[in-house]
PDB file of all heavy atoms in Angstrom:
ATOM      1  N   THR A  36       0.259 125.116 105.840  1.00 97.00           N
ATOM      2  CA  THR A  36       0.631 126.339 106.663  1.00 97.00           C
ATOM      3  C   THR A  36      -0.670 127.167 106.973  1.00 97.00           C
ATOM      4  O   THR A  36      -0.766 127.625 108.029  1.00 97.00           O
ATOM      5  CB  THR A  36       1.598 127.027 105.871  1.00 97.00           C
ATOM      6  OG1 THR A  36       2.759 126.194 105.546  1.00 97.00           O
ATOM      7  CG2 THR A  36       2.159 128.264 106.763  1.00 97.00           C
ATOM      8  N   PRO A  76      -8.581 100.774 129.966  1.00 96.00           N
ATOM      9  CA  PRO A  76      -7.707  99.726 129.282  1.00 96.00           C
ATOM     10  C   PRO A  76      -8.032  99.233 127.983  1.00 96.00           C
ATOM     11  O   PRO A  76      -7.369  98.469 127.391  1.00 96.00           O
ATOM     12  CB  PRO A  76      -8.016  98.523 130.359  1.00 96.00           C
ATOM     13  CG  PRO A  76      -9.448  98.714 130.734  1.00 96.00           C
ATOM     14  CD  PRO A  76      -9.619 100.278 130.760  1.00 96.00           C
ATOM     15  N   ILE A  94      19.093 102.669 112.113  1.00 98.00           N
ATOM     16  CA  ILE A  94      20.206 103.550 111.966  1.00 98.00           C
ATOM     17  C   ILE A  94      19.733 104.927 111.740  1.00 98.00           C
ATOM     18  O   ILE A  94      18.632 105.103 111.083  1.00 98.00           O
ATOM     19  CB  ILE A  94      21.094 102.908 110.872  1.00 98.00           C
ATOM     20  CG1 ILE A  94      22.375 103.610 110.721  1.00 98.00           C
ATOM     21  CG2 ILE A  94      20.310 102.932 109.426  1.00 98.00           C
ATOM     22  CD1 ILE A  94      23.460 103.018 109.919  1.00 98.00           C
ATOM     23  N   ASN A 128      20.923 121.984 101.904  1.00 97.00           N
ATOM     24  CA  ASN A 128      20.825 120.663 102.678  1.00 97.00           C
ATOM     25  C   ASN A 128      19.308 120.274 102.709  1.00 97.00           C
ATOM     26  O   ASN A 128      19.091 118.923 102.532  1.00 97.00           O
ATOM     27  CB  ASN A 128      21.366 120.731 104.114  1.00 97.00           C
ATOM     28  CG  ASN A 128      22.746 120.739 104.129  1.00 97.00           C
ATOM     29  OD1 ASN A 128      23.520 120.465 103.206  1.00 97.00           O
ATOM     30  ND2 ASN A 128      23.399 121.009 105.364  1.00 97.00           N
ATOM     31  N   LEU A 136      16.035 111.399  99.043  1.00 98.00           N
ATOM     32  CA  LEU A 136      14.899 110.435  99.409  1.00 98.00           C
ATOM     33  C   LEU A 136      14.046 110.069  98.293  1.00 98.00           C
ATOM     34  O   LEU A 136      13.790 108.875  98.100  1.00 98.00           O
ATOM     35  CB  LEU A 136      13.956 111.152 100.568  1.00 98.00           C
ATOM     36  CG  LEU A 136      14.714 111.267 101.977  1.00 98.00           C
ATOM     37  CD1 LEU A 136      13.782 112.077 102.835  1.00 98.00           C
ATOM     38  CD2 LEU A 136      15.200 110.046 102.439  1.00 98.00           C
ATOM     39  N   ILE A 140      13.796 106.280  96.525  1.00 97.00           N
ATOM     40  CA  ILE A 140      12.598 105.420  96.404  1.00 97.00           C
ATOM     41  C   ILE A 140      12.422 105.144  95.053  1.00 97.00           C
ATOM     42  O   ILE A 140      11.827 104.120  94.585  1.00 97.00           O
ATOM     43  CB  ILE A 140      11.327 106.369  96.957  1.00 97.00           C
ATOM     44  CG1 ILE A 140      11.577 106.613  98.462  1.00 97.00           C
ATOM     45  CG2 ILE A 140      10.116 105.647  96.532  1.00 97.00           C
ATOM     46  CD1 ILE A 140      10.609 107.572  98.944  1.00 97.00           C
ATOM     47  N   ARG A 155      25.793 101.758  95.464  1.00 93.00           N
ATOM     48  CA  ARG A 155      24.764 101.095  94.797  1.00 93.00           C
ATOM     49  C   ARG A 155      23.670 100.535  95.807  1.00 93.00           C
ATOM     50  O   ARG A 155      24.044  99.860  96.770  1.00 93.00           O
ATOM     51  CB  ARG A 155      25.179  99.999  93.916  1.00 93.00           C
ATOM     52  CG  ARG A 155      26.211 100.402  92.774  1.00 93.00           C
ATOM     53  CD  ARG A 155      25.494 101.292  91.621  1.00 93.00           C
ATOM     54  NE  ARG A 155      26.483 101.563  90.689  1.00 93.00           N
ATOM     55  CZ  ARG A 155      27.209 102.712  90.600  1.00 93.00           C
ATOM     56  NH1 ARG A 155      27.047 103.625  91.591  1.00 93.00           N
ATOM     57  NH2 ARG A 155      28.129 103.027  89.683  1.00 93.00           N
ATOM     58  N   GLY A 208       5.135  99.120  98.985  1.00 96.00           N
ATOM     59  CA  GLY A 208       4.890  98.166  99.947  1.00 96.00           C
ATOM     60  C   GLY A 208       5.012  98.739 101.474  1.00 96.00           C
ATOM     61  O   GLY A 208       4.837  97.982 102.326  1.00 96.00           O
ATOM     62  N   PRO A 211       4.219 106.272 104.350  1.00 98.00           N
ATOM     63  CA  PRO A 211       4.914 107.489 104.760  1.00 98.00           C
ATOM     64  C   PRO A 211       4.940 107.469 106.259  1.00 98.00           C
ATOM     65  O   PRO A 211       3.938 107.538 107.016  1.00 98.00           O
ATOM     66  CB  PRO A 211       3.944 108.599 104.282  1.00 98.00           C
ATOM     67  CG  PRO A 211       2.618 107.891 104.276  1.00 98.00           C
ATOM     68  CD  PRO A 211       2.835 106.485 103.807  1.00 98.00           C
ATOM     69  N   ARG A 246       2.245 106.675 109.668  1.00 98.00           N
ATOM     70  CA  ARG A 246       2.676 106.198 111.051  1.00 98.00           C
ATOM     71  C   ARG A 246       3.695 107.126 111.604  1.00 98.00           C
ATOM     72  O   ARG A 246       4.536 107.588 110.840  1.00 98.00           O
ATOM     73  CB  ARG A 246       3.247 104.843 111.093  1.00 98.00           C
ATOM     74  CG  ARG A 246       2.216 103.720 110.782  1.00 98.00           C
ATOM     75  CD  ARG A 246       1.249 103.532 111.881  1.00 98.00           C
ATOM     76  NE  ARG A 246       0.355 102.365 111.773  1.00 98.00           N
ATOM     77  CZ  ARG A 246      -0.757 102.185 111.051  1.00 98.00           C
ATOM     78  NH1 ARG A 246      -1.133 103.361 110.397  1.00 98.00           N
ATOM     79  NH2 ARG A 246      -1.340 101.144 110.874  1.00 98.00           N
ATOM     80  N   VAL A 249       6.971 109.049 118.288  1.00 98.00           N
ATOM     81  CA  VAL A 249       7.210 110.280 119.053  1.00 98.00           C
ATOM     82  C   VAL A 249       8.533 109.978 119.874  1.00 98.00           C
ATOM     83  O   VAL A 249       8.583 109.048 120.657  1.00 98.00           O
ATOM     84  CB  VAL A 249       6.050 110.657 119.931  1.00 98.00           C
ATOM     85  CG1 VAL A 249       6.438 111.883 120.668  1.00 98.00           C
ATOM     86  CG2 VAL A 249       4.849 110.991 118.974  1.00 98.00           C
ATOM     87  N   ILE A 251      10.285 110.837 122.945  1.00 98.00           N
ATOM     88  CA  ILE A 251      10.076 111.468 124.333  1.00 98.00           C
ATOM     89  C   ILE A 251      11.467 112.097 124.848  1.00 98.00           C
ATOM     90  O   ILE A 251      12.282 111.333 125.432  1.00 98.00           O
ATOM     91  CB  ILE A 251       9.559 110.435 125.382  1.00 98.00           C
ATOM     92  CG1 ILE A 251       8.151 109.773 124.842  1.00 98.00           C
ATOM     93  CG2 ILE A 251       9.282 111.038 126.702  1.00 98.00           C
ATOM     94  CD1 ILE A 251       7.118 110.865 124.671  1.00 98.00           C
ATOM     95  N   GLU A 259       3.203 112.745 130.074  1.00 98.00           N
ATOM     96  CA  GLU A 259       2.115 112.672 129.150  1.00 98.00           C
ATOM     97  C   GLU A 259       2.272 111.555 127.985  1.00 98.00           C
ATOM     98  O   GLU A 259       1.685 111.669 126.979  1.00 98.00           O
ATOM     99  CB  GLU A 259       1.683 113.940 128.527  1.00 98.00           C
ATOM    100  CG  GLU A 259       1.434 115.059 129.483  1.00 98.00           C
ATOM    101  CD  GLU A 259       0.798 116.210 128.835  1.00 98.00           C
ATOM    102  OE1 GLU A 259       0.101 116.213 127.841  1.00 98.00           O
ATOM    103  OE2 GLU A 259       0.921 117.323 129.468  1.00 98.00           O
ATOM    104  N   SER A 284      16.471 119.150 128.107  1.00 97.00           N
ATOM    105  CA  SER A 284      15.080 119.657 128.539  1.00 97.00           C
ATOM    106  C   SER A 284      15.004 119.787 130.093  1.00 97.00           C
ATOM    107  O   SER A 284      14.440 120.831 130.573  1.00 97.00           O
ATOM    108  CB  SER A 284      14.057 118.785 128.057  1.00 97.00           C
ATOM    109  OG  SER A 284      12.787 119.064 128.580  1.00 97.00           O
ATOM    110  N   ARG A 292      17.295 125.477 139.812  1.00 91.00           N
ATOM    111  CA  ARG A 292      17.061 124.884 141.096  1.00 91.00           C
ATOM    112  C   ARG A 292      18.465 124.077 141.359  1.00 91.00           C
ATOM    113  O   ARG A 292      18.828 123.342 140.572  1.00 91.00           O
ATOM    114  CB  ARG A 292      15.872 124.062 141.175  1.00 91.00           C
ATOM    115  CG  ARG A 292      14.678 124.794 141.103  1.00 91.00           C
ATOM    116  CD  ARG A 292      13.335 123.990 140.951  1.00 91.00           C
ATOM    117  NE  ARG A 292      13.330 122.783 141.913  1.00 91.00           N
ATOM    118  CZ  ARG A 292      12.225 121.882 141.972  1.00 91.00           C
ATOM    119  NH1 ARG A 292      11.191 122.092 141.246  1.00 91.00           N
ATOM    120  NH2 ARG A 292      12.330 120.923 142.831  1.00 91.00           N
ATOM    121  N   ARG A 300      28.144 115.337 132.150  1.00 92.00           N
ATOM    122  CA  ARG A 300      27.147 114.462 131.460  1.00 92.00           C
ATOM    123  C   ARG A 300      27.816 113.049 131.283  1.00 92.00           C
ATOM    124  O   ARG A 300      26.916 112.196 131.190  1.00 92.00           O
ATOM    125  CB  ARG A 300      26.771 115.018 130.137  1.00 92.00           C
ATOM    126  CG  ARG A 300      27.963 115.274 129.114  1.00 92.00           C
ATOM    127  CD  ARG A 300      27.601 116.218 128.004  1.00 92.00           C
ATOM    128  NE  ARG A 300      28.645 116.524 127.152  1.00 92.00           N
ATOM    129  CZ  ARG A 300      29.040 115.900 126.088  1.00 92.00           C
ATOM    130  NH1 ARG A 300      28.399 114.830 125.712  1.00 92.00           N
ATOM    131  NH2 ARG A 300      30.018 116.285 125.345  1.00 92.00           N
ATOM    132  N   ALA A 301      29.033 112.683 131.287  1.00 90.00           N
ATOM    133  CA  ALA A 301      29.507 111.307 131.213  1.00 90.00           C
ATOM    134  C   ALA A 301      29.054 110.537 132.397  1.00 90.00           C
ATOM    135  O   ALA A 301      28.987 109.352 132.312  1.00 90.00           O
ATOM    136  CB  ALA A 301      31.000 111.355 131.039  1.00 90.00           C
ATOM    137  N   LEU A 317       8.502 104.302 129.830  1.00 98.00           N
ATOM    138  CA  LEU A 317       8.333 104.375 128.419  1.00 98.00           C
ATOM    139  C   LEU A 317       7.845 102.951 127.921  1.00 98.00           C
ATOM    140  O   LEU A 317       6.967 102.892 127.156  1.00 98.00           O
ATOM    141  CB  LEU A 317       9.428 104.928 127.782  1.00 98.00           C
ATOM    142  CG  LEU A 317       9.466 105.278 126.303  1.00 98.00           C
ATOM    143  CD1 LEU A 317      10.307 106.559 125.912  1.00 98.00           C
ATOM    144  CD2 LEU A 317       9.662 104.078 125.373  1.00 98.00           C
ATOM    145  N   PRO A 337      33.673 103.696 114.742  1.00 90.00           N
ATOM    146  CA  PRO A 337      34.879 102.896 114.731  1.00 90.00           C
ATOM    147  C   PRO A 337      36.038 103.710 114.113  1.00 90.00           C
ATOM    148  O   PRO A 337      36.004 104.523 113.153  1.00 90.00           O
ATOM    149  CB  PRO A 337      34.557 101.788 113.686  1.00 90.00           C
ATOM    150  CG  PRO A 337      33.037 101.705 113.739  1.00 90.00           C
ATOM    151  CD  PRO A 337      32.537 103.046 113.920  1.00 90.00           C
ATOM    152  N   ALA A 343      40.582 100.156 120.983  1.00 92.00           N
ATOM    153  CA  ALA A 343      39.602 101.233 121.297  1.00 92.00           C
ATOM    154  C   ALA A 343      38.248 100.860 120.558  1.00 92.00           C
ATOM    155  O   ALA A 343      37.202 100.947 121.301  1.00 92.00           O
ATOM    156  CB  ALA A 343      39.962 102.551 120.781  1.00 92.00           C
ATOM    157  N   ARG A 352      27.420  97.017 123.396  1.00 97.00           N
ATOM    158  CA  ARG A 352      26.667  95.735 123.738  1.00 97.00           C
ATOM    159  C   ARG A 352      26.097  95.725 125.069  1.00 97.00           C
ATOM    160  O   ARG A 352      24.852  95.284 125.181  1.00 97.00           O
ATOM    161  CB  ARG A 352      27.657  94.555 123.597  1.00 97.00           C
ATOM    162  CG  ARG A 352      27.033  93.188 123.930  1.00 97.00           C
ATOM    163  CD  ARG A 352      28.155  92.043 123.881  1.00 97.00           C
ATOM    164  NE  ARG A 352      28.756  92.063 122.448  1.00 97.00           N
ATOM    165  CZ  ARG A 352      28.201  91.417 121.475  1.00 97.00           C
ATOM    166  NH1 ARG A 352      27.055  90.745 121.527  1.00 97.00           N
ATOM    167  NH2 ARG A 352      28.749  91.394 120.391  1.00 97.00           N
ATOM    168  N   SER A 366      16.541  99.489 119.020  1.00 98.00           N
ATOM    169  CA  SER A 366      17.353 100.707 119.364  1.00 98.00           C
ATOM    170  C   SER A 366      18.017 101.209 118.295  1.00 98.00           C
ATOM    171  O   SER A 366      18.038 100.791 117.154  1.00 98.00           O
ATOM    172  CB  SER A 366      18.366 100.103 120.426  1.00 98.00           C
ATOM    173  OG  SER A 366      19.012 101.248 121.159  1.00 98.00           O
ATOM    174  N   CYS A 377      24.186  95.372 117.718  1.00 98.00           N
ATOM    175  CA  CYS A 377      22.858  95.670 118.063  1.00 98.00           C
ATOM    176  C   CYS A 377      21.909  94.551 117.701  1.00 98.00           C
ATOM    177  O   CYS A 377      20.976  94.124 118.484  1.00 98.00           O
ATOM    178  CB  CYS A 377      22.376  97.016 117.597  1.00 98.00           C
ATOM    179  SG  CYS A 377      20.796  97.491 118.258  1.00 98.00           S
ATOM    180  N   HIS A 390       9.126  91.531 117.881  1.00 98.00           N
ATOM    181  CA  HIS A 390       9.201  92.545 118.916  1.00 98.00           C
ATOM    182  C   HIS A 390       8.834  91.820 120.144  1.00 98.00           C
ATOM    183  O   HIS A 390       8.531  90.564 120.128  1.00 98.00           O
ATOM    184  CB  HIS A 390       8.135  93.661 118.653  1.00 98.00           C
ATOM    185  CG  HIS A 390       6.859  93.209 118.225  1.00 98.00           C
ATOM    186  ND1 HIS A 390       5.959  92.434 119.000  1.00 98.00           N
ATOM    187  CD2 HIS A 390       6.124  93.270 116.964  1.00 98.00           C
ATOM    188  CE1 HIS A 390       4.846  92.193 118.310  1.00 98.00           C
ATOM    189  NE2 HIS A 390       4.916  92.682 117.102  1.00 98.00           N
ATOM    190  N   ILE A 412      22.038 111.995 142.123  1.00 84.00           N
ATOM    191  CA  ILE A 412      23.163 111.973 141.326  1.00 84.00           C
ATOM    192  C   ILE A 412      23.774 113.401 141.181  1.00 84.00           C
ATOM    193  O   ILE A 412      24.709 113.467 140.458  1.00 84.00           O
ATOM    194  CB  ILE A 412      23.157 111.277 140.105  1.00 84.00           C
ATOM    195  CG1 ILE A 412      22.109 112.131 139.104  1.00 84.00           C
ATOM    196  CG2 ILE A 412      22.600 109.917 140.209  1.00 84.00           C
ATOM    197  CD1 ILE A 412      22.473 111.664 137.655  1.00 84.00           C
ATOM    198  N   SER A 413      23.109 114.271 141.769  1.00 76.00           N
ATOM    199  CA  SER A 413      23.535 115.793 141.475  1.00 76.00           C
ATOM    200  C   SER A 413      24.937 115.960 142.038  1.00 76.00           C
ATOM    201  O   SER A 413      25.384 115.253 143.066  1.00 76.00           O
ATOM    202  CB  SER A 413      22.629 116.753 142.104  1.00 76.00           C
ATOM    203  OG  SER A 413      22.492 116.592 143.419  1.00 76.00           O
ATOM    204  N   VAL A 484      41.745 128.398 120.423  1.00 98.00           N
ATOM    205  CA  VAL A 484      43.132 128.424 119.558  1.00 98.00           C
ATOM    206  C   VAL A 484      43.241 126.807 119.041  1.00 98.00           C
ATOM    207  O   VAL A 484      43.787 126.722 117.880  1.00 98.00           O
ATOM    208  CB  VAL A 484      44.193 128.667 120.678  1.00 98.00           C
ATOM    209  CG1 VAL A 484      45.568 128.311 120.139  1.00 98.00           C
ATOM    210  CG2 VAL A 484      44.088 130.056 121.077  1.00 98.00           C
TER     211      VAL A 484
END
Side-chain angles (χ1 to χ4, degrees):
T36 304
I94 189 168
N128 280 352
L136 293 174
I140 294 166
R155 302 286 183 268
R246 289 291 192 277
V249 173
I251 301 299
E259 300 191 27
S284 171
R292 291 171 46 175
R300 57 191 173 93
L317 189 149
R352 183 179 297 278
S366 191
C377 186
H390 48 65
I412 65 158
S413 64
V484 169

